[in-house]
Amino acid sequence: MSTATTPPLHLVTVPGDGVGPEVTAAALAVLRAALSSAGIRMEVSEHPIGGLALDQSGDPLPEPTLAACRRADAVLLGAVGGPRWDRRKPRPEAGLLRLRSGLGAFANVRPVRVMAGAEMHSPLRPEIVRGTDIVFVRELTGGAYFGKPRGVEGRPPDRRGVDTIEYSESEIRRVAEVAFTLARSRRHKLTSVDKANVLATSVLWREVLDELAEAHPDIELEHALVDSFSLRVLLDPRRFDVVVTENLMGDILTDEAAALVGTLGTLPSASGGGDGPWLYEPVHGSAPDIAGKGLANPLGAIASTAMLLRLSLGREDLAKAVEQAIGAVVQAGSLTPDMNGALSTQAVTEAVLAQLGELVPA
Ligand code: IPM
Ligand code: MG
């Protein structure tokens, strides 16, 4: 008998606000089941972020939270923010931005896939969305989110607001490399989205992408302007494979692309690329209107754990099993109200666990 044991996974959770804790608990249950089927133990420690942390300590990302996240093998985040803290300074969202940057998570990977049999959840016609399989790579630690100067100055009626979009060549290059590499593992097509007809940062972005394309001759690179891309991605989504873009455009385009799936609730994301562990979070927000009611869609957070199994643990087999379990639950219509179902967060989670149990018996 072998005495070799797989080391436990050190996971840090930052459930945050609104529905964050509910979907994080669901994701943890599924992750634990997937890992235990493979004989892998998991050690979990939970830390405050966002509005909760603001209430507790006046800081949306307390130092112990960042330190614990940096030491983890992987970080699972729920959601941050809510109307309660809208007038607070700093805002809860500042905690999330500092966490991303503190982990060096410059690449945000957001797959948008329309699962077979789930076309009817999109408001778009089934023949348009069928087979959609796009992965967005959004730059996450630069651009208008972090550029200086920023702020509102002066007094009414003469106030002035300033934000700064700034990108260095190396910031563009490193996120583009992630996108080229991802395209190589898929259909070898890369669409880079910018506003090069107006913005200087986009002109540089395009030049750097073109230079990199020479080192990746097997990848077909095309450039698209953000306004026309935002239309074409809804009219003809199947023609896109990997899409790379800067922070703010990526924020907007990934919410827009959720219309292809019909809900933000099922979309996962993974952020990383720097020296820290990867950060996994559903794309949806804190949904304060349904928080605490057991109605939140857990599938985005659960799908994020599939990305964790794939990217942080290299367990493609377990990642696939979780994704197949989600697919089966969607096909069976075991869904929360945002997808016209009648089930609770917990019931959907149990349905996923039951499917997973058949795919990877513990
Ligand atoms: C997202 C969210 C965040 C962002 C907010 C909560 C700061 O919209 O992850 O897309 O803008 O990045
Ligand atoms: Mg967003």
Side-chain angles (χ1 to χ4, degrees):
M1 205 176 93
S2 162
T3 53
T5 52
T6 315
L9 171 75
H10 292 278
L11 183 78
V12 165
T13 62
V14 274
D17 308 317
V19 298
E22 298 161 65
V23 299
T24 303
L28 266 185
V30 173
L31 181 60
R32 198 179 290 283
L35 289 172
S36 90
S37 76
I40 304 171
R41 284 189 302 122
M42 174 166 79
E43 285 167 9
V44 183
S45 68
E46 184 181 311
H47 293 268
I49 193 172
L52 175 76
L54 260 181
D55 288 348
Q56 287 176 356
S57 67
D59 184 350
L61 182 69
E63 184 48 40
T65 296
L66 177 59
C69 289
R70 286 196 58 91
R71 279 196 308 270
D73 294 327
V75 181
L76 194 60
L77 181 123
V80 297
R84 261 179 68 201
W85 303 282
D86 270 354
R87 287 153 186 268
R88 284 290 292 269
K89 273 192 191 141
R91 293 178 57 109
E93 288 84 350
L96 174 57
L97 301 190
R98 275 168 47 209
L99 177 60
R100 289 169 174 173
S101 118
L103 293 175
F106 60 78
N108 178 216
V109 181
R110 295 187 165 181
V112 176
R113 204 168 289 135
V114 176
M115 289 178 265
E119 295 83 4
M120 73 284 202
H121 295 293
S122 174
L124 299 170
R125 290 202 303 274
E127 63 269 27
I128 289 181
V129 301
R130 183 169 295 123
T132 293
D133 181 4
I134 307 174
V135 180
F136 286 85
V137 179
R138 166 190 174 196
E139 201 291 327
L140 202 58
T141 53
Y145 278 58
F146 293 89
K148 299 242 165 56
R150 64 180 286 139
V152 178
E153 51 181 42
R155 295 191 179 285
D158 293 310
R159 283 168 299 174
R160 195 168 158 267
V162 179
D163 290 288
T164 302
I165 305 177
E166 189 180 3
Y167 272 107
S168 70
E169 222 179 306
S170 65
E171 285 177 302
I172 299 169
R173 199 175 297 118
R174 64 187 185 177
V175 70
E177 283 290 0
V178 171
F180 275 106
T181 306
L182 192 61
R184 179 160 300 115
S185 71
R186 293 168 44 89
R187 303 193 301 276
H188 292 74
K189 274 198 63 180
L190 178 59
T191 305
S192 172
V193 178
D194 63 35
K195 188 69 185 171
N197 53 349
V198 177
L199 299 177
T201 41
S202 285
V203 171
L204 179 63
W205 182 279
R206 224 175 241 226
E207 280 176 18
V208 172
L209 267 282
D210 280 336
E211 282 160 26
L212 280 178
E214 290 178 21
H216 298 280
D218 57 320
I219 307 297
E220 186 194 325
L221 171 68
E222 66 170 357
H223 299 285
L225 293 171
V226 63
D227 47 353
S228 88
F229 175 85
S230 69
L231 175 64
R232 286 194 295 148
V233 74
L234 296 187
L235 294 182
D236 192 10
R238 265 176 305 208
R239 69 178 293 284
F240 298 106
D241 178 7
V242 178
V243 176
V244 64
T245 190
E246 63 91 53
N247 202 345
L248 180 59
M249 295 181 203
D251 178 47
I252 298 166
L253 293 176
T254 52
D255 266 31
E256 185 204 5
L260 296 164
V261 178
T263 170
L264 268 182
T266 60
L267 297 184
S269 87
S271 312
D275 56 355
W278 281 70
L279 169 69
Y280 300 88
E281 49 174 314
V283 174
H284 66 71
S286 61
D289 50 323
I290 56 164
K293 296 186 179 159
L295 296 176
N297 190 339
L299 295 179
I302 294 172
S304 298
T305 70
M307 296 190 82
L308 185 161
L309 290 162
R310 176 174 292 124
L311 294 172
S312 290
L313 291 183
R315 290 299 300 251
E316 182 64 31
D317 55 335
L318 299 178
K320 281 240 167 68
V322 171
E323 284 165 355
Q324 276 170 23
I326 294 172
V329 161
V330 171
Q331 284 235 334
S334 308
L335 300 167
T336 42
D338 59 310
M339 296 180 79
N340 291 321
L343 296 189
S344 67
T345 308
Q346 198 183 338
V348 173
T349 308
E350 278 161 15
V352 175
L353 284 168
Q355 289 292 338
L356 188 66
E358 306 206 344
L359 291 160
V360 287

